[in-house]
Amino acid sequence: MRLKDLGERALLGKLATIGYPPGAPLPPGDDAGGVWMGDEAWLLKTDGFLYREVALSGMGPFEVGFRGVAATASDLIAKMGRPLGFTLGLFLPEDLEEAFVLELVKGAAEAARRLQAPLLGGDTNAGPEVALTVSGFARTEVPVPRRALPGDLLYLAGDRWGRTGAAIRAHYEGRDLGAFPAIREAAFYPLPRLELLSLKGLLRGSLDSSDGLAETLWQLADLGVRVDLLALPIYPDVLAFAKGEEEARGLVLYGGEEFEAVLVVPKEGEAEALARAEEAGLPLFLAGRIGQGNGVYFQGRPVPRKGYTHF
Amino acid sequence: MRLKDLGERALLGKLATIGYPPGAPLPPGDDAGGVWMGDEAWLLKTDGFLYREVALSGMGPFEVGFRGVAATASDLIAKMGRPLGFTLGLFLPEDLEEAFVLELVKGAAEAARRLQAPLLGGDTNAGPEVALTVSGFARTEVPVPRRALPGDLLYLAGDRWGRTGAAIRAHYEGRDLGAFPAIREAAFYPLPRLELLSLKGLLRGSLDSSDGLAETLWQLADLGVRVDLLALPIYPDVLAFAKGEEEARGLVLYGGEEFEAVLVVPKEGEAEALARAEEAGLPLFLAGRIGQGNGVYFQGRPVPRKGYTHF
């Protein structure tokens, strides 16, 4: 079967278990892989993308390099891993300007710096178009998989919900973001939040959201639970951009590229999680709860599954 | 300046220091990067390539996946790092067959398994042609950089010298390797050698050889020493393939893709290094010595610098 007929999700499902070790800190197919070293989990993650697919209007190589490290770091941090370093794998057309590549790597280094981790080199290859992979390693004593139990609460961390979706829509509609600085900032410099690590030991589960919130919640539901959304974070600028609440909800549910985390919090840990998040300066939004059953619902109505896939 | 005018080596030189941490276990631009964690160095390495550039006649996706993990592992092991896991970053045309991708990943998993390390997942993206990056992490108490001092001895580890060069030549000349099973094996399944780790604490320096032996020795000479080759390992099958000693020497010097290690051994450590290598079953070949000055010489005559570069 050809990949375009199989689909990316099915392909990843088949690949995830090949060579994956039993007893690993995280199950195959989770946001990152890892191994136990004594009582610590060491995580490794690679994420790749084509330049032209992620460079929105106004973004240059610096922003795309930044975005690359952010994407990989978001997966590691969502698993409670503290990033220790990143490497780049670059495919570059031979007639590309040197300055372009330097900006790309400087953007990656800036994201790494803000995450208190270094760049540790990488590799360059000639290729038909600009493509990147970013790898990162991290460690944690308490790796958090994608996991949920009925009765748990669903929190959204961070404040990029809907904003990155708005920026992507602005790109395709040729709209200017001059009046929406927070939307622009969210899409151009989506720095994952080390503050998430303050919740160590308090989470039942955690997922990186980069394929869109709805798709991320469906991945949670795939584990055998029902996800009930009761509210969505609709920021005033997203509402103003969208010119309507329904469209704004769509941007929150189907935006993508947030590099924020969806958190599953047991009821009994809620108070401490909220206290620690406040102390750390981590925005948390109570979005819903986990129930028995399956599927994803918003105020009782089914949330269709549609997210970005590569094939 | 465009990349094709700048050249890959100059580009890598400019990129290597961006965001690279001071005081790291290995200098920027070495075969791998890393960070200190207590008294252990944790290494991270990414290596990428286009499928069509490495798939010799008779190699399929399994062998190319195997080769990908081998390439990254070779860099880590040359630094005395024991690999702990690998991830893949795949760019795949959407009309590719699923079976092709499964074989690619199975080949990668097989190389990882033989190196006693797991695959830890990865990422897939649509792309114009099949391209891979392989990342790996490793740890070591004694990271070994590219380093040499006058008076040191130069050893070549392993037995693929000239053989991978012969396989590459056979590919371009349309020659069959049926009569040369060791050449075929060396090129198709170039497994790096965990036995190198038996030399822990005994090496002044170590370099992965994958751009060709001559280029690797030039990189050593670039550190400010003279490399004097006194002998080269010319295996009987390589000599038979080449039909002449001069051509065979060329295959050893300019072959590439060996994924073997060039070792710099202080004179006082030679006896123990030889003893440990013999006990571990690691082939070692005394190829020359390090002197004051610069450049690379074979029996007193200059060795031209020519190796594979991507731009």
Side-chain angles (χ1 to χ4, degrees):
Chain A
M1 186 179 289
R2 294 179 192 275
L3 300 188
K4 63 183 171 191
D5 302 318
L6 179 65
E8 188 183 19
R9 207 152 49 220
L11 176 65
L12 284 173
K14 291 186 178 200
L15 300 182
T17 56
I18 299 175
Y20 200 84
L26 294 165
D30 209 307
D31 295 306
V35 293
W36 285 111
M37 296 298 295
D39 54 3
E40 276 193 336
W42 284 75
L43 309 181
L44 183 62
K45 173 68 187 187
T46 292
D47 193 64
F49 55 95
L50 300 178
Y51 186 92
R52 68 175 152 88
E53 289 206 341
V54 304
L56 304 180
S57 312
M59 286 173 71
F62 185 92
E63 285 74 25
V64 172
F66 189 104
R67 182 261 178 219
V69 165
T72 293
S74 183
D75 283 318
L76 294 168
I77 296 172
K79 306 291 99 179
M80 293 291 114
R82 179 176 289 279
L84 299 169
F86 300 93
T87 52
L88 307 179
L90 303 176
F91 294 94
L92 307 165
E94 63 176 16
D95 60 356
L96 198 67
E97 285 292 332
E98 168 195 354
F100 181 100
V101 187
L102 290 173
E103 281 302 301
L104 192 69
V105 176
K106 284 178 186 170
E110 173 61 15
R113 188 189 66 77
R114 291 206 220 164
L115 294 166
Q116 302 168 23
L119 278 194
L120 295 173
D123 188 42
T124 61
N125 280 271
E129 68 171 292
V130 180
L132 286 77
T133 66
V134 178
S135 299
F137 63 165
R139 64 170 186 170
T140 176
E141 289 165 13
V142 190
V144 179
R146 301 176 178 189
R147 186 170 53 189
L149 291 177
D152 289 342
L153 301 170
L154 191 73
Y155 273 89
L156 305 183
D159 66 3
R160 287 189 285 269
W161 304 100
R163 290 189 167 128
T164 55
I168 292 168
R169 181 160 302 177
H171 171 77
Y172 285 106
E173 294 180 350
R175 291 175 60 181
D176 186 70
L177 286 176
F180 302 100
I183 290 176
R184 185 179 183 279
E185 178 76 12
F188 281 36
Y189 306 104
L191 195 72
R193 299 173 198 274
L194 288 177
E195 296 84 357
L196 279 165
L197 304 180
S198 69
L199 301 179
K200 177 177 142 181
L202 292 179
L203 301 177
R204 177 93 66 200
S206 172
L207 300 85
D208 166 64
S209 167
S210 55
D211 299 327
L213 176 59
E215 170 61 24
T216 305
L217 295 176
W218 270 101
Q219 290 170 8
L220 192 57
D222 281 347
L223 301 174
V225 294
R226 172 181 166 120
V227 176
D228 271 305
L229 283 172
L230 303 174
L232 289 172
I234 309 280
Y235 305 123
D237 57 346
V238 174
L239 191 59
F241 175 90
K243 301 188 179 74
E245 203 164 330
E246 193 178 332
E247 189 183 336
R249 273 200 300 271
L251 293 174
V252 174
L253 283 170
Y254 300 106
E257 299 272 315
E258 297 89 1
F259 307 127
E260 299 283 19
V262 172
L263 307 177
V264 180
V265 182
K267 190 84 192 78
E268 64 273 19
E270 184 185 21
E272 189 172 350
L274 290 172
R276 285 208 217 157
E278 184 169 2
E279 193 184 337
L282 175 70
L284 279 190
F285 181 89
L286 177 60
R289 61 188 172 211
I290 306 298
Q292 290 187 324
N294 52 64
V296 179
Y297 296 83
F298 175 60
Q299 296 176 350
R301 294 163 58 188
V303 172
R305 184 168 203 169
K306 47 180 184 175
Y308 188 81
T309 63
H310 290 103
F311 301 110
Chain B
M1 186 181 289
R2 293 177 191 275
L3 299 187
K4 64 183 170 190
D5 302 319
L6 179 66
E8 187 182 20
R9 206 152 50 221
L11 175 65
L12 284 173
K14 292 186 179 200
L15 299 182
T17 56
I18 299 174
Y20 200 82
L26 295 164
D30 209 307
D31 295 305
V35 293
W36 285 111
M37 295 298 294
D39 55 1
E40 276 194 336
W42 283 76
L43 309 181
L44 183 63
K45 173 69 186 186
T46 293
D47 194 63
F49 55 94
L50 300 178
Y51 185 93
R52 68 176 152 87
E53 288 206 342
V54 305
L56 304 180
S57 312
M59 285 173 72
F62 185 92
E63 286 73 24
V64 171
F66 189 104
R67 182 260 179 220
V69 166
T72 293
S74 182
D75 283 317
L76 294 169
I77 296 172
K79 307 290 98 178
M80 292 292 114
R82 179 176 290 278
L84 299 170
F86 300 94
T87 52
L88 307 179
L90 303 176
F91 294 93
L92 307 166
E94 62 175 19
D95 60 355
L96 198 67
E97 285 292 333
E98 168 194 355
F100 181 101
V101 186
L102 290 173
E103 280 303 299
L104 193 70
V105 176
K106 284 178 185 169
E110 173 61 15
R113 188 188 66 78
R114 291 206 220 164
L115 294 166
Q116 302 168 22
L119 279 195
L120 296 172
D123 188 42
T124 61
N125 280 272
E129 68 171 292
V130 179
L132 285 77
T133 66
V134 179
S135 299
F137 64 164
R139 63 172 188 170
T140 175
E141 289 164 13
V142 190
V144 180
R146 302 177 177 187
R147 185 171 52 190
L149 291 177
D152 289 341
L153 301 170
L154 191 72
Y155 274 89
L156 305 183
D159 65 3
R160 289 190 284 267
W161 304 100
R163 289 188 167 129
T164 55
I168 293 167
R169 179 160 302 178
H171 170 78
Y172 284 106
E173 294 179 352
R175 290 176 61 182
D176 185 72
L177 286 175
F180 302 101
I183 289 176
R184 186 180 181 280
E185 178 76 12
F188 281 35
Y189 307 104
L191 195 73
R193 299 173 198 274
L194 288 176
E195 296 83 357
L196 279 166
L197 304 181
S198 69
L199 302 178
K200 176 178 142 179
L202 293 178
L203 302 177
R204 178 92 67 200
S206 173
L207 300 85
D208 166 63
S209 168
S210 55
D211 299 328
L213 176 59
E215 170 60 24
T216 304
L217 296 176
W218 269 101
Q219 289 170 8
L220 192 58
D222 280 347
L223 300 174
V225 295
R226 173 182 166 119
V227 176
D228 271 304
L229 282 172
L230 304 173
L232 289 172
I234 309 281
Y235 306 122
D237 56 346
V238 174
L239 191 59
F241 174 90
K243 301 188 179 73
E245 200 163 333
E246 192 179 334
E247 190 183 335
R249 272 200 302 271
L251 293 175
V252 174
L253 283 170
Y254 300 106
E257 299 272 315
E258 296 90 1
F259 307 126
E260 299 282 20
V262 172
L263 306 178
V264 180
V265 182
K267 190 85 193 78
E268 63 273 20
E270 184 184 21
E272 189 172 352
L274 290 172
R276 286 207 216 156
E278 184 167 2
E279 193 183 337
L282 175 70
L284 278 190
F285 181 90
L286 177 60
R289 63 190 171 211
I290 305 299
Q292 290 187 323
N294 52 65
V296 179
Y297 297 83
F298 174 61
Q299 296 177 351
R301 293 163 58 188
V303 172
R305 184 169 204 170
K306 46 179 184 174
Y308 188 80
T309 62
H310 290 103
F311 301 110

